[in-house]
Amino acid sequence: MRLRSLIVALVGGLLAAAGWSHVPASASVVEVNCGLGTQVGTYSPGMTLLPRQIDFKATGTLGGCVSPSHPEITGATFTALVSGTFSCLAGSTTHTSTYHWNTGHSSTVRGGFEVNLKPGGTTVLVLTGTVVDGLFQGATVVQTKVLPATDLTACLTPQGLTSVSGTVTFTAIL
């Protein structure tokens, strides 16, 4: 639990430094906030200590969703496709994610990383993007993902670390 507290503090500090800590209420409206989520993903080829071009695919679920403009939304399933240069120590990429809301609507998000930390082998990603198609189109999205590496020794092998899973939160602001 101590590592999680450290991660939350680090991400919060970095977001504050980047100016993401406060947005005036008159300038934005939270369209949807999902506080509970999980994802599993695979790296192809696997991540090693040396940076290389990698494709990442994740699937997951979101729950505990609250949306003032769409109160019937309670959750979603999603897929994320990422391609970029990664290692077990750092990464740089863009992403496309599609969310299928429990209402039958969908949202497609495109963006990049704001924060990519790896304290103690745990990947903490803060991804930002824009809803480019579907429900909430035009909204800015902030996703936070905490993905503990369960087999760090895989980073030392030629095939590398090939899978990861963890928690996800999602917020869309218009």
Side-chain angles (χ1 to χ4, degrees):
M1 192 55 127
R2 191 171 187 180
L3 177 61
R4 186 176 190 105
S5 297
L6 174 64
I7 291 167
V8 169
L10 281 168
V11 170
L14 288 169
L15 288 175
W20 282 81
S21 63
H22 176 71
V23 177
S26 61
S28 64
V29 174
V30 173
E31 287 290 329
V32 63
N33 185 44
C34 302
L36 304 171
T38 59
Q39 86 168 30
V40 284
T42 56
Y43 300 101
S44 178
M47 283 195 308
T48 63
L49 291 176
L50 298 175
R52 61 181 171 181
Q53 182 67 32
I54 295 176
D55 293 324
F56 178 73
K57 180 179 181 181
T59 58
T61 60
L62 295 173
C65 299
V66 177
S67 174
S69 61
H70 295 276
E72 67 279 10
I73 289 179
T74 59
T77 59
F78 68 89
T79 58
L81 302 174
V82 176
S83 185
T85 303
F86 295 97
S87 75
C88 286
L89 304 173
S92 172
T93 187
T94 59
H95 67 89
T96 300
S97 301
T98 302
Y99 297 84
H100 298 282
W101 303 103
N102 64 289
T103 59
H105 295 93
S106 63
S107 303
T108 301
V109 177
R110 289 201 182 99
F113 291 158
E114 286 295 320
V115 178
N116 181 4
L117 302 173
K118 299 193 185 285
T122 297
T123 299
V124 180
L125 301 173
V126 178
L127 299 98
T128 60
T130 302
V131 178
V132 296
D133 189 37
L135 191 62
F136 309 119
Q137 187 165 354
T140 297
V141 171
V142 178
Q143 299 173 288
T144 303
K145 300 181 180 196
V146 178
L147 307 169
T150 55
D151 185 11
L152 291 178
T153 58
C155 294
L156 303 172
T157 66
Q159 65 270 20
L161 180 66
T162 58
S163 65
V164 67
S165 63
T167 61
V168 177
T169 61
F170 176 97
T171 303
I173 302 168
L174 192 58

